[in-house]
Amino acid sequence: MELATNAASTGAGGHVGESSSISSSQQISLGDKTPEPLLAEAEAEASAEPDVNSDIRGIDVTETALGRFESIDKNIFMRGSGDSSKHEESIPCHCRYNPESDPRYKACGENSDCINRLVQMECNPLTCPCGSDCLNRRFQKRQYAKVRIVDAGRKGYGMQALEDLDTGSFVMEYIGEVVTSSEFRKRAAVYQSEGIQHHYFMSIGNNKIIDATRKGCIARFINHSCGPNCVLQKWMVGGAIRMGIFVERPIKRGEEITFDYKFERMSGSEPQPCYCGSPQCKGIIGVAKERTRKHVANVSGIDDDDDNVVADIDEEIEDDTVTKHQRDDIRRRHAAVDDEEYGYSADDMSGSDSESDDAGTGASAASSDDDAAFKRIRRRNTGKRKKRNGLTSPEQVLKFVQIMHRSSRQTRIIQILIGKLMETEDRRLLKSLIGLQGMGILRAWLQDYENDDVMMIKILQCIAHMPVSTRNTIEEGRLEEAIKPLCTYSDENVASLASELIERWSTLRHVFKIPKKTRKESAATTPASETP
């Protein structure tokens, strides 16, 4: 399926057979391993020049491996594999970096507060506040780890680290020709007719597949392991889905780079033996899944059966694959989600004593009004659909936003995502989503479907469902510029929803946020006699 729980898989090689079942959102299929290189060929290559890595085990066969395909340094998007969307470029993050005084990581680095990095989206150097100093451009700059291809015995070729790699390090991108699923099925038939035994390919969702059989990079030689040291992640870069291999646990120089293919096969099909050799080895690659033939045949992962699509989205959201840093970051943001309730509105700053007394409650009053509107919208849109579950944790919010970024113009997926948001009753979780710039994505969806009345109504209802309590959110998400023109739209339902939103937002006030730490310090230093 397109949005499945599987978070990783690529590998040394594979082919689609009659009994193969593909449902990973990232790797479609893997089969037989690449044959071992000829010994004479490998020895000749190894002795061609002094080996600076002679201190580590393994015969370097990188040149031989590169000769088996055409090496390219970026994806080639074939006809029909590209999308046009209002959300093509990344949303600017809020990072600030002063090279003269700030530590380097502040510029969208691993331990920074960069929202884009958190949701696995690279920054645009033209819009990122850190500009050319931004560290969140590893795909764009091809900041790959030092590796080589070695003879991995009966596994065929394998990838070996030539330097120590810390957790979270970027190994490299999986590259090839990006085609539609229907085009890949045609290619697979051609490969078979030409006697090409090993196919290298990966599903990236949205009905697209990376085919690295003829053109690609050495990432295709990374082997499977039941106890992997790396994981595959989907990132958004310039509006396109990109697949990257990242370090999951520290890797020592000379260690083989692996990850779990999480290959799914249909129940009853012949399993593929696993030779990973790890203590956790299951003996076979992947697990059996009960899938219908209709489901198996649909390589794109888009099935007409709502239950299957919803189940796959739920699995990806619930899949516990966030990194420790992501978990810590999203929980910290969620704990501070109500910070905007504490601050001074623009009116409060005017100096009026009566207004000043309300400084701490101005946003809360707006929030109270919003509560009532929130409940009305929920009542209006419940009881009409089959009951599903909404978001229930900050980690699910993070995974949900990642899916939102990747779902541009995928109408059926967007409809299901909207339904899940409408069924989320926890206002704090919805505010966490707003804090991850979720409103900006909803605005982009609204603009993408500017000629589809039904979709516009669904998206407007979803925007109305969100607990917006300050003008800050409206302006940061650039919502009014997209919704105001709809107040005079030809469809009366669209116009009515748009007018209702604009009217409700007109009563909201700006809030100048005061961090909790500052408030606590201020309270601690205020003499008791001066406390009102």
Side-chain angles (χ1 to χ4, degrees):
M1 297 297 291
E2 176 167 325
L3 295 171
T5 181
N6 299 346
S9 41
T10 26
H15 67 277
V16 180
E18 284 293 322
S19 61
S20 295
S21 168
I22 311 307
S23 63
S24 169
S25 62
Q26 294 155 1
Q27 175 69 31
I28 292 193
S29 158
L30 295 170
D32 299 333
K33 295 292 181 283
T34 305
E36 295 182 24
L38 296 174
L39 182 59
E41 184 180 24
E43 288 178 342
E45 181 178 317
S47 60
E49 58 183 45
D51 186 3
V52 296
N53 297 304
S54 58
D55 59 315
I56 56 178
R57 297 180 60 184
I59 300 176
D60 188 343
V61 294
T62 303
E63 292 303 318
T64 302
L66 285 171
R68 295 180 179 272
F69 63 97
E70 181 181 341
S71 180
I72 56 177
D73 59 11
K74 61 181 179 180
N75 285 328
I76 299 174
F77 290 84
M78 308 304 288
R79 184 176 61 182
S81 64
D83 284 330
S84 176
S85 169
K86 303 293 185 181
H87 189 49
E88 288 184 352
E89 294 296 334
S90 62
I91 300 173
C93 64
H94 299 149
C95 296
R96 294 291 182 270
Y97 173 66
N98 184 337
E100 297 181 358
S101 59
D102 292 334
R104 188 72 180 91
Y105 76 87
K106 285 284 190 179
C108 309
E110 179 67 25
N111 296 312
S112 68
D113 290 332
C114 183
I115 291 179
N116 285 346
R117 194 179 186 108
L118 177 62
V119 300
Q120 295 176 191
M121 178 172 66
E122 286 206 339
C123 293
N124 181 338
L126 299 179
T127 58
C128 177
C130 299
S132 60
D133 291 315
C134 175
L135 295 174
N136 185 31
R137 297 178 58 209
R138 292 173 291 181
F139 282 82
Q140 298 170 62
K141 293 184 176 182
R142 304 188 188 104
Q143 296 174 332
Y144 299 161
K146 295 179 181 178
V147 300
R148 69 178 182 179
I149 303 304
V150 297
D151 182 349
R154 59 179 175 174
K155 291 187 291 184
Y157 293 139
M159 181 179 287
Q160 185 181 55
L162 296 181
E163 60 181 338
D164 292 346
L165 298 172
D166 295 329
T167 299
S169 297
F170 182 38
V171 177
M172 66 175 53
E173 180 181 2
Y174 190 95
I175 292 171
E177 295 178 286
V178 181
V179 299
T180 63
S181 60
S182 59
E183 171 61 23
F184 179 77
R185 283 193 288 270
K186 296 176 184 177
R187 287 185 172 211
V190 172
Y191 296 154
Q192 185 174 5
S193 68
E194 293 179 352
I196 298 177
Q197 185 180 8
H198 306 292
H199 304 170
Y200 300 81
F201 56 96
M202 179 189 303
S203 170
I204 60 176
N206 292 4
N207 199 33
K208 300 183 186 70
I209 293 170
I210 298 177
D211 179 9
T213 304
R214 297 187 188 275
K215 299 179 181 181
C217 71
I218 59 174
R220 72 184 204 159
F221 295 120
I222 300 177
N223 282 314
H224 163 83
S225 175
C226 300
N229 50 31
C230 288
V231 65
L232 196 68
Q233 293 180 1
K234 284 185 179 181
W235 280 65
M236 289 297 294
V237 183
I241 299 174
R242 307 272 282 271
M243 308 303 294
I245 296 93
F246 290 81
V247 177
E248 191 171 35
R249 59 175 173 78
I251 296 175
K252 292 294 184 182
R253 182 171 180 270
E255 187 178 349
E256 183 180 2
I257 291 172
T258 62
F259 58 88
D260 187 347
Y261 290 172
K262 295 194 174 180
F263 178 70
E264 291 185 3
R265 58 183 176 82
M266 191 173 67
S267 180
S269 64
E270 190 68 24
Q272 177 179 311
C274 178
Y275 304 117
C276 72
S278 73
Q280 297 85 14
C281 184
K282 303 178 181 68
I284 60 174
I285 295 178
V287 295
K289 290 286 185 179
E290 294 292 342
R291 301 283 182 176
T292 64
R293 281 290 173 183
K294 176 183 177 183
H295 187 102
V296 173
N298 191 347
V299 178
S300 71
I302 300 296
D303 196 295
D304 290 334
D305 187 340
D306 279 2
D307 288 340
N308 282 339
V309 179
V310 173
D312 287 333
I313 292 176
D314 286 341
E315 284 176 2
E316 180 167 1
I317 292 172
E318 294 169 5
D319 184 25
D320 188 24
T321 58
V322 298
T323 66
K324 181 181 183 301
H325 175 70
Q326 286 177 321
R327 178 174 285 107
D328 292 344
D329 195 353
I330 190 62
R331 288 181 178 178
R332 175 183 59 79
R333 292 174 186 272
H334 183 67
V337 76
D338 286 326
D339 265 3
E340 69 172 15
E341 305 294 345
Y342 299 89
Y344 293 97
S345 70
D347 289 339
D348 297 335
M349 300 294 283
S350 66
S352 169
D353 290 341
S354 60
E355 295 273 0
S356 179
D357 289 340
D358 193 43
T361 60
S364 296
S367 177
S368 177
D369 292 338
D370 183 67
D371 276 340
F374 177 84
K375 292 175 181 177
R376 286 197 301 271
I377 292 294
R378 182 160 61 86
R379 284 196 298 269
R380 182 189 305 171
N381 292 283
T382 55
K384 299 179 182 179
R385 304 177 310 276
K386 180 178 177 180
K387 178 62 178 176
R388 301 172 190 155
N389 295 321
L391 303 175
T392 59
S393 72
E395 289 82 1
Q396 288 189 9
V397 171
L398 175 58
K399 298 299 287 290
F400 190 88
V401 172
Q402 292 173 358
I403 297 172
M404 289 178 75
H405 278 296
R406 305 196 304 259
S407 300
S408 174
R409 290 195 177 278
Q410 300 301 304
T411 303
R412 191 67 198 99
I413 300 298
I414 290 176
Q415 288 174 339
I416 293 170
L417 294 177
I418 288 174
K420 201 165 188 69
L421 280 180
M422 297 297 287
E423 288 148 12
T424 299
E425 300 181 3
D426 189 327
R427 293 180 69 256
R428 298 189 73 245
L429 290 176
L430 292 174
K431 283 196 170 188
S432 288
L433 185 138
I434 291 173
L436 295 180
Q437 300 182 334
M439 297 298 274
I441 304 175
L442 291 175
R443 170 186 50 78
W445 286 356
L446 188 64
Q447 293 172 315
D448 281 343
Y449 289 98
E450 59 187 357
N451 296 317
D452 187 328
D453 295 354
V454 174
M455 284 299 293
M456 281 200 292
I457 289 172
K458 290 179 181 293
I459 297 167
L460 285 169
Q461 288 175 337
C462 186
I463 292 174
H465 178 70
M466 303 300 288
V468 177
S469 56
T470 69
R471 289 288 304 175
N472 305 53
T473 300
I474 306 303
E475 294 177 358
E476 289 170 5
R478 294 162 48 204
L479 294 170
E480 280 191 340
E481 68 181 61
I483 295 177
K484 264 190 175 181
L486 299 179
C487 293
T488 55
Y489 190 75
S490 57
D491 183 278
E492 62 179 18
N493 292 317
V494 171
S496 175
L497 282 167
S499 299
E500 181 180 331
L501 283 170
I502 296 300
E503 182 180 357
R504 188 204 309 178
W505 292 342
S506 68
T507 64
L508 300 180
R509 302 195 298 178
H510 285 94
V511 168
F512 297 87
K513 300 177 184 178
I514 303 174
K516 283 186 176 181
K517 182 177 179 181
T518 302
R519 296 198 303 271
K520 290 179 179 179
E521 289 176 350
S522 177
T525 57
T526 301
S529 59
E530 296 182 12
T531 303

